[in-house]
Amino acid sequence: MQAFDYIAPKSVDEAISALAAGGEKARPLSGGTDLIAQLQEGRRGLETVVDVKRIPELMEISISADGLKLGAAVSCHTINANQAVRDAYPALIDSTHLIGGTQIQGRASIGGNLCNSSPAADAIPNLVVHNVSCHIAGPNGRRTVAVEDFCTGPGQNVLENGEFLVSLTFPKPPPNFGAAYLRFIPRNEMDIAVVGAGASVILSDDKETIQSARVSLGAVAPTPLLVQEAGDVLAGQPISEETLNKAADLAKAAARPINDMRGTIAQRKHLSGVLTQRALRIAIDRARGAKTVDELGRLNGHGE
Amino acid sequence: MANKTAVETTLNGEETTFLCEPRQTLLEALRDELGLIGSKEGCGNGNCGACNVLLDGVLVNSCLVLAPEIEGRSVVTIEGIAEDGELHPLQQKFLEHASLQCGICTPGFIVSSKALLDENPNPTEHDVRLWLAGNLCRCTGYDKIVRAVLDVAQNNA
Ligand SMILES: Cc1cc2nc3c(=O)[nH]c(=O)nc-3n(C[C@H](O)[C@H](O)[C@H](O)COP(=O)(O)OP(=O)(O)OC[C@H]3O[C@@H](n4cnc5c(N)ncnc54)[C@H](O)[C@@H]3O)c2cc1C
Ligand code: FES
Ligand code: FES
């Protein structure tokens, strides 16, 4: 590996100074499952690696009346072990079980997944359907960005030089809320999504009508997509094959995939519709009280 | 840049200090600086699991950890799995079930399996296969490995 300095600041302010001092040749290190692999390949001419895992705010995972505050560097393993989070944020848990294998989950963070900004990143559609806000710190102070506005292109995002992601906040799920994330890969484990789809719904009290919904797709455009129109078409509609099909068709239309070694445009378009439907169904089942991942997770490969 | 730094850590239960460059991975530090060559490099990029160790009890790929990151933390490698000169039950069952051929993947499988049984002493076959999905073996076809782990779990029950 190329030579670089390693700094492990203990506060957000120290990290800002270290990143500012290093300029374009400095980068934050969270779990390293993307960054260290990239450094091994010599893909980044870095001079400074700023390990953010010693900063308490980046390692925080706490649920309050407002919702979940998730430090940017918290590992999937830590999230998976938190029963309160498992119960409240099922689509998040779908993602944290899908990212890599067990040992990748021991290190990989949701913040790192977002900041790496791959179009196929498995965490991002779940963050979109959970309505997450991204809290950023930098030399000019703090700011907050809606997650659907965070990525700007493959590997690109809104972070300016010297800025880094501190935490993500997930609003408290309203009553009758359910969410899910699914991906298609050609084998059972350890692969990159050909297409990923996230969905969340809020149902009426009798659980027969969809009050509002959000749909998000991964790996079908330069950035993960919020498919606003697919959510809008479901608002106020009864739960039926027909309404779900309408949303699936809109998701299919919104997908702008490319041909590559993982899949063709036609296959990805088709999958966008199929996975949107399926993710919506799981989200609805969960909103109707199906145990979160612990019962329905098997649909997603984690569980028998 | 890149002067060697001293790292203090607990390695297989013992306080240890070693020198490394920030660009060295934990796997490189273990093998090249500390002489612990049980952890193997299969791929060097997180895909094969041959380098797996426990970091503060959590299973990680040591090829995707920078050596200075373990300052103040505790690391258990394959060398720390046997206790008091006695093979760990997993090591014993891997031998009994002939769960290895060339053996390069074995340290990683044993460390991963230990992490599984620490978290879930009674896994199903599916649990074992899912947990070990990030460990690759080109020789055994996995079945004998899974059987050895299930055999140890059986004795936990
Ligand atoms: C074998 C293997 C399998 C994988 N499988 C999957 C998979 O199934 N699905 C999937 O989506 N991904 C997968 N990945 C990719 C990777 O594990 C994930 O993207 C992971 O979530 C990255 O998180 P991290 O904490 O390791 O990030 P890091 O590698 O630490 O960082 C990733 C990027 O984000 C930047 N960064 C990190 N933290 C911050 C911060 N706080 N603020 C600003 N920038 C920051 C880094 O500089 C770097 O550019 C896999 C990787 C490997 C090696
Ligand atoms: S050498 Fe670390 S995963 Fe292959
Ligand atoms: S025994 Fe040879 S790779 Fe597993």
Side-chain angles (χ1 to χ4, degrees):
Chain A
M1 238 190 289
Q2 69 213 69
F4 48 76
D5 283 331
Y6 168 86
I7 305 175
K10 296 207 166 59
S11 72
V12 168
D13 287 343
E14 281 176 52
I16 293 171
S17 312
L19 287 168
E24 281 183 9
K25 303 226 172 253
R27 278 201 81 80
L29 167 73
S30 182
T33 59
D34 281 314
L35 186 65
I36 297 174
Q38 290 161 7
L39 290 170
Q40 306 259 34
E41 291 165 16
R43 265 166 59 196
R44 291 186 181 270
L46 287 196
E47 289 175 0
T48 314
V49 168
V50 181
D51 182 355
V52 295
K53 293 190 296 300
R54 308 257 170 180
I55 308 171
E57 221 183 322
L58 277 93
M59 302 303 281
E60 183 178 343
I61 173 165
S62 62
I63 289 193
S64 70
D66 298 333
L68 167 65
K69 183 169 177 203
L70 182 66
V74 175
S75 72
C76 292
H77 178 268
T78 302
I79 297 169
N80 288 340
N82 189 312
Q83 191 61 45
V85 174
R86 295 181 76 88
D87 291 342
Y89 302 98
L92 170 64
I93 302 300
D94 289 334
S95 303
T96 51
H97 277 276
L98 283 174
I99 293 174
T102 322
Q103 57 271 51
I104 293 290
Q105 289 164 18
R107 296 261 294 168
S109 65
I110 298 300
N113 193 266
L114 177 60
C115 293
N116 194 59
S117 301
S118 158
D122 280 311
I124 305 177
N126 105 62
L127 301 178
V128 172
V129 302
H130 275 306
N131 248 312
V132 161
S133 302
C134 312
H135 305 284
I136 297 166
N140 300 322
R142 298 221 180 190
R143 64 187 176 116
T144 297
V145 171
V147 69
E148 58 267 31
D149 300 327
F150 189 87
C151 297
T152 52
Q156 307 290 317
N157 56 51
V158 297
L159 294 177
E160 304 279 351
N161 235 332
E163 279 190 325
F164 68 105
L165 183 68
V166 174
S167 64
L168 301 165
T169 49
F170 293 60
K172 183 181 154 70
N176 308 319
F177 174 86
Y181 173 74
L182 283 172
R183 73 174 179 190
F184 178 83
I185 54 173
R187 52 185 188 161
N188 290 332
E189 294 297 326
M190 301 289 293
D191 210 339
I192 296 174
V194 178
V195 174
S200 66
V201 296
I202 302 171
L203 303 185
S204 57
D205 283 338
D206 67 1
K207 301 195 169 106
E208 295 300 333
T209 305
I210 299 173
Q211 285 185 344
S212 68
R214 271 167 92 85
V215 171
S216 176
L217 292 175
V220 297
T223 66
L225 297 177
L226 165 65
V227 190
Q228 185 78 45
E229 55 278 24
D232 290 348
V233 79
L234 293 169
Q237 298 299 309
I239 297 167
S240 70
E241 190 77 29
E242 197 193 333
T243 35
L244 297 191
N245 280 341
K246 272 191 204 150
D249 285 343
L250 287 167
K252 207 166 148 179
R256 299 175 264 125
I258 53 167
N259 286 318
D260 68 9
M261 63 179 183
R262 288 182 208 289
T264 61
I265 290 174
Q267 183 194 20
R268 285 191 160 113
K269 281 249 178 208
H270 176 71
L271 283 169
S272 299
V274 173
L275 292 183
T276 295
Q277 243 286 348
R278 285 188 194 164
L280 278 166
R281 277 183 202 285
I282 300 172
I284 290 166
D285 283 345
R286 286 174 173 167
R288 285 173 161 167
K291 261 292 193 219
T292 58
V293 259
D294 300 315
E295 235 170 69
L296 280 160
R298 62 203 59 183
L299 288 169
N300 228 348
H302 38 88
E304 180 87 307
Chain B
M1 197 178 8
N3 288 327
K4 288 208 169 185
T5 49
V7 176
E8 276 181 56
T9 185
T10 307
L11 185 55
N12 295 328
E14 285 184 22
E15 305 290 316
T16 309
T17 305
F18 65 92
L19 287 174
C20 67
E21 282 183 53
R23 66 167 159 177
Q24 280 179 297
T25 63
L26 173 56
L27 177 62
E28 287 165 341
L30 289 171
R31 293 181 57 89
D32 303 341
E33 307 297 330
L34 292 154
L36 293 178
I37 57 171
S39 306
K40 304 300 182 201
E41 181 180 71
C43 63
N45 60 23
N47 277 281
C48 77
C51 65
N52 283 2
V53 300
L54 303 178
L55 178 55
D56 287 340
V58 176
L59 186 66
V60 302
N61 305 108
S62 64
C63 70
L64 292 184
V65 176
L66 296 178
E69 285 190 69
I70 67 164
E71 170 71 35
R73 308 225 181 271
S74 129
V75 174
V76 174
T77 67
I78 184 66
E79 286 87 350
I81 301 288
E83 272 176 33
D84 305 324
E86 294 273 321
L87 290 184
H88 185 278
L90 280 163
Q91 293 171 311
Q92 191 59 46
K93 291 295 177 194
F94 266 58
L95 286 173
E96 285 172 24
H97 287 267
S99 308
L100 57 148
Q101 290 177 29
C102 79
I104 195 158
C105 68
T106 315
F109 269 103
I110 289 185
V111 172
S112 294
S113 304
K114 177 167 188 310
L116 167 65
L117 297 180
D118 286 349
E119 238 175 68
N120 177 4
N122 294 301
T124 62
E125 179 178 343
H126 180 86
D127 294 336
V128 175
R129 287 186 185 274
L130 187 61
W131 185 277
L132 296 177
N135 287 81
L136 302 184
C137 173
R138 60 164 299 190
C139 304
T140 64
Y142 301 100
D143 213 54
K144 291 179 172 181
I145 294 172
V146 174
R147 270 189 253 164
V149 178
L150 286 170
D151 197 357
V152 177
Q154 193 92 45
N155 292 334
N156 285 338

